Amino acid sequence: MKEKYRQEREKRLRADGTAQYLPLQGVFADFDKDPYVEPGFTRPALTERTDVLIVGGGFGGMLAGARLRQAGVDSFRIVEKGSDFGGTWYWNRYPGAACDVESYIYLPLLEETGYMPREKYAKAPEIFAHCQRIGRHFDLYKAALFQTLVRTMDWDEGTRRWNITTDRGDLIAARFVIIAGGILHKAKLPGIPGIETFQGHCFHTSRWDYAYTGGSPTSPMTKLGDKRVGIIGTGATSVQAIPHLGATARQLYVFQRTPSGVGVRANQPTDEAWAKSLQPGWQQERIRNFSAIVSGRQQPVDMVNDGWTYIFQGLDLTQARSAEEAAELAQLSDFRKMEEIRARVGALVKDAATAEALKPYYNQMCKRPCFHDEYLPTFNRPNVQLVDTEGKGVERITPTGVVVNGREYPVDCLVYASGFEVAGEFTQKLGFDIRGRGGRSLRDAWAQGPATLHGMHSRGYPNLMLFTTTQSGWAINFVHILDEQSQHAAHIIARCLKQGVEVSEPSEQAQQQWWDVILGRLKTSATFGGADCTPGYYNNEGMKAGPEMMKFATFGGDTLAFIDVLREWRKGEEFVGLELTRGGAEVQS
Ligand code: NDP
């Protein structure tokens, strides 16, 4: 099996790695247009001072706003590209979109807002509505500047503030800045030869064109009955959208490069009796229980008990006598679980050749595991055809269709389910540069690899808090990390404002010590999408990373270990590693 996995990886390795993808710019800029707003929005430009500017109005930005309010900080602004809160849940309205981590742990602030999701895996409209609920509950709307992009961000030594300009002409002077721009927020297109020549209709899944397809996120697509539709990509998005396209299109071609592993979903309505029985504090307890299990920590009870936790069930590495033995045990367990995933394909897909092509041959965490109960049976429909490219990808796009292995598949509509740019090198993805002390660009400063404390602060960039994965926590339920980062930022900002601290900045030594911690973890802990994996965004498309890229590493697989570092740090009064300056005088370091 190891050899089979190796061969499958080899088939997919390509010299251009991440460069194979195209950003939504230039001739592709139209792909990035917001289909959910009327064009022509205007508002007067603002000139103002604020305590905190938050970039991004997705879960990260909203959580930051909520936690700031709870900490008594009310002077803040949230700058957001969309016309409402929601971030990924604002943009992703494709048919079938739903959270794939259980909604009781994924939707933030359920107890605070008094809301209980209707299903174990909530659908996108319900999640978007919850974002709006958070916005209302924490009075975030009055802080929001929607349909606005930050253009420049400069540290002003004189005022000890960040000066921010936007594409709407705003000038904002903020004491603190929180960057909560998301980790997968820029859609990308596959760089397939001829892509710009296609004459039919096309769009990216994160800008779903219901005007063309008919229907809505909650109703069937009524205008596809006479259309031949192609979809490129078979990742987590596609797995959710394909059953809906298959049910409505005259003909659906699914162009596959690498199959996803698709486990059981078993969605169900929320049990009202269970919901009523919950005691205060239940959500945090459940969130921690899940993160513990999927970080490889056995727990007495598995509260979520779903496909995610199943991946880690039965794996007890505490009995292993050496690191090698532990790795071997983990690999054997992975083979068994993936064998079950492959057997599921065989049981659900009738055509033997199609079934074989849909079987994934790689370790489970090489790619985002998917869970769905209608995806695989969709390939039994007479109007749905899997076009497997055997790891090579689509050969060419013509004005009228898609070419694979020399054969053209004519389509009226082409859907790109080709994913998002990954924020590993997050300074490149922000869309603006951050210029800190002495006008030094963060992009330049981090060209040889970032230096941070907790992945959140960087020397030379005072009062700046970053919510990224760089030298920071990672979680399958990523909202867990965002909430901890939010609480951490709110705690620091509230105290600085209360005590008249105008500048907080990590020391050189603290950054070095933090890197030593990360390095130690890199050597000892398992990470996702390792070098042996089939290419994908988890492993930089299989490209070898240089030493500077290594510095963009996350804290490593154990979510709770990272969170506990932040919590312990906050317990201390002294803000170890941060140099604090009050009105010109350094108060401590
Ligand atoms: P992905 O990056 O996971 O998938 C992109 C797909 O496009 C892959 O199947 C890729 O193939 C394929 N592709 C790229 N280039 C070509 C080509 N030239 N020819 C054919 N196929 C090509 O994007 P998604 O939008 O599916 O998912 C991104 C992430 O968003 C997920 O991993 C997950 O983290 C998140 N997500 C979460 C959801 C949830 O919570 N419910 C739902 C959807 C997404 P290959 O694999 O070979 O590279």
Side-chain angles (χ1 to χ4, degrees), residues 355-495:
E356 193 48 40
L358 284 166
K359 291 181 184 170
Y361 287 95
Y362 46 79
N363 279 337
Q364 198 136 24
M365 295 307 284
C366 285
K367 282 187 181 285
R368 174 95 178 179
C370 298
F371 307 94
H372 213 287
D373 298 336
E374 288 85 41
Y375 174 70
L376 292 168
T378 298
F379 292 94
N380 296 329
R381 285 179 171 271
N383 64 323
V384 176
Q385 185 180 341
L386 179 72
V387 183
D388 185 35
T389 67
E390 294 187 18
K392 291 193 288 288
V394 166
E395 193 176 307
R396 219 158 19 94
I397 293 177
T398 68
T400 50
V402 177
V403 179
V404 173
N405 282 332
R407 175 176 165 197
E408 180 176 9
Y409 297 82
V411 293
D412 304 299
C413 173
L414 198 46
V415 180
Y416 294 104
S418 43
F420 302 86
E421 293 182 26
V422 181
E425 244 274 47
F426 107 100
T427 49
Q428 307 294 336
K429 310 280 157 47
L430 266 178
F432 59 91
D433 204 2
I434 300 172
R435 285 189 291 268
R437 285 194 194 279
R440 181 140 198 245
S441 119
L442 187 65
R443 222 171 265 172
D444 293 346
W446 284 15
Q448 297 311 311
T452 76
L453 171 62
H454 300 152
M456 289 184 74
H457 323 271
S458 190
R459 190 165 176 80
Y461 301 85
N463 298 357
L464 179 71
M465 318 257 176
L466 306 166
F467 292 4
T468 79
T469 55
T470 296
Q471 299 187 6
S472 196
W474 169 257
I476 283 173
N477 179 17
F478 196 66
V479 187
H480 192 184
I481 293 287
L482 289 173
D483 195 14
E484 287 296 327
Q485 289 171 328
S486 299
Q487 292 180 39
H488 199 70
H491 176 86
I492 295 170
I493 292 171
R495 189 179 138 192

Side-chain angles (χ1 to χ4, degrees), residues 89 97 118 123-130 132 217-218:
W89 297 105
R118 291 193 291 268
K123 298 192 174 64
E126 186 181 3
I127 305 176
F128 182 35
H130 184 61
Q132 295 169 320
T218 50

Side-chain angles (χ1 to χ4, degrees), residues 534-548:
T534 190
Y537 81 82
Y538 273 12
N539 70 345
N540 201 28
E541 299 298 333
M543 287 162 87
K544 285 218 164 32
E548 73 290 349

Side-chain angles (χ1 to χ4, degrees), residues 21 94 98 100 233-237 240 257-258 367-368 393-394 417 419 537:
Y21 289 103
Y94 59 84
D100 65 359
T234 49
T237 297
Q240 293 184 332
R257 190 165 65 179
T258 309
K367 282 187 181 285
R368 174 95 178 179
V394 166
Y537 81 82

Side-chain angles (χ1 to χ4, degrees), residues 174-431:
R175 181 71 72 201
F176 293 89
V177 168
I178 295 175
I179 305 282
I183 51 169
L184 289 169
H185 68 109
K186 280 191 139 183
K188 68 186 186 203
L189 292 172
I192 300 169
I195 183 169
E196 70 290 347
T197 66
F198 184 64
Q199 295 295 312
H201 199 76
C202 54
F203 52 86
H204 188 274
T205 48
S206 65
R207 307 283 186 275
W208 197 271
D209 190 351
Y210 284 105
Y212 178 85
T213 64
S216 72
T218 50
S219 63
M221 291 173 283
T222 47
K223 295 188 188 168
L224 293 182
D226 59 349
K227 301 285 188 303
R228 298 158 303 176
V229 179
I231 183 164
I232 296 184
T234 49
T237 297
S238 208
V239 164
Q240 293 184 332
I242 279 172
H244 297 265
L245 287 171
T248 50
R250 182 180 115 208
Q251 172 72 41
L252 176 67
Y253 295 112
V254 177
F255 298 99
Q256 173 182 271
R257 190 165 65 179
T258 309
S260 280
V262 187
V264 174
R265 177 69 312 173
N267 195 10
Q268 50 196 301
T270 299
D271 176 344
E272 278 184 35
W274 166 78
K276 283 205 184 95
S277 73
L278 295 167
Q279 300 299 312
W282 71 267
Q283 196 187 17
Q284 286 306 318
E285 189 189 353
R286 197 173 179 91
I287 288 172
R288 269 189 88 84
N289 178 266
F290 178 83
S291 283
I293 292 173
V294 298
S295 296
R297 301 181 184 203
Q298 298 277 320
Q299 297 296 297
V301 45
D302 178 352
M303 292 176 163
V304 170
N305 192 22
D306 72 352
W308 281 110
T309 57
Y310 178 69
I311 294 174
F312 298 86
Q313 269 170 26
L315 178 62
D316 185 3
L317 299 180
T318 53
Q319 305 303 318
R321 284 157 300 185
S322 66
E324 290 73 27
E325 194 180 326
E328 195 67 20
L329 283 174
Q331 182 60 74
L332 284 171
S333 163
D334 204 299
F335 280 143
R336 272 195 293 271
K337 300 271 157 126
M338 285 304 278
E339 206 50 41
E340 290 175 22
I341 293 287
R342 291 187 284 267
R344 185 168 187 255
V345 181
L348 294 177
V349 178
K350 291 190 186 127
D351 177 69
T354 306
E356 193 48 40
L358 284 166
K359 291 181 184 170
Y361 287 95
Y362 46 79
N363 279 337
Q364 198 136 24
M365 295 307 284
C366 285
K367 282 187 181 285
R368 174 95 178 179
C370 298
F371 307 94
H372 213 287
D373 298 336
E374 288 85 41
Y375 174 70
L376 292 168
T378 298
F379 292 94
N380 296 329
R381 285 179 171 271
N383 64 323
V384 176
Q385 185 180 341
L386 179 72
V387 183
D388 185 35
T389 67
E390 294 187 18
K392 291 193 288 288
V394 166
E395 193 176 307
R396 219 158 19 94
I397 293 177
T398 68
T400 50
V402 177
V403 179
V404 173
N405 282 332
R407 175 176 165 197
E408 180 176 9
Y409 297 82
V411 293
D412 304 299
C413 173
L414 198 46
V415 180
Y416 294 104
S418 43
F420 302 86
E421 293 182 26
V422 181
E425 244 274 47
F426 107 100
T427 49
Q428 307 294 336
K429 310 280 157 47
L430 266 178

